[in-house]
Amino acid sequence: MSIGDFLIVFVAVALTMLACRVLPVFLLKGKQLPETVVRALNFIPPAAFAALVANDLFDPSKVTSGDVWSWLAPLIAAAFVVVVGAKTKSMAWCIVVGVGALAVLTYLPAMA
């Protein structure tokens, strides 16, 4: 790919991203959204978080690798996150507990 082709693709992608992020702010400024739209938009952060986590939790290559702990540790960490999420309703605490639990559970067999 030549530098000219790269610049065309780069500018097109940059303008598209800018339009998707900035135009809604200007078009909806000062307008009241319907309650159903607001409720639907509130599902975006948990859905994005769940999509990121699902890739690590349900990786078929880990299950078929024969190492039970490699696929069991993320599920145990997810159980901790479910408990913390139910109690605190805070995504920040869920992330902190999930990362911490997975780190401890990943290095637990190495310490034994």
Side-chain angles (χ1 to χ4, degrees):
M1 178 185 296
S2 70
I3 190 72
D5 292 340
F6 172 77
L7 288 175
I8 290 171
V9 171
F10 181 78
V11 169
V13 169
L15 289 174
T16 302
M17 285 178 31
L18 186 65
C20 290
R21 292 176 183 218
V22 174
L23 282 179
V25 173
F26 287 118
L27 294 175
L28 298 174
K29 185 178 181 181
K31 294 182 181 176
Q32 185 69 21
L33 295 174
E35 181 61 31
T36 54
V37 173
V38 172
R39 278 194 330 200
L41 290 175
N42 284 333
F43 286 113
I44 292 175
F49 184 59
L52 291 171
V53 171
N55 286 332
D56 290 332
L57 286 182
F58 306 110
D59 186 3
S61 65
K62 289 183 181 178
V63 175
T64 59
S65 71
D67 182 18
V68 174
W69 195 249
S70 70
W71 61 268
L72 191 59
L75 291 175
I76 295 170
F80 284 122
V81 171
V82 167
V83 171
V84 169
K87 287 192 177 276
T88 65
K89 307 262 191 277
S90 168
M91 188 180 293
W93 279 113
C94 288
I95 292 169
V96 169
V97 169
V99 169
L102 188 58
V104 168
L105 291 170
T106 300
Y107 295 110
L108 194 62
M111 293 188 299

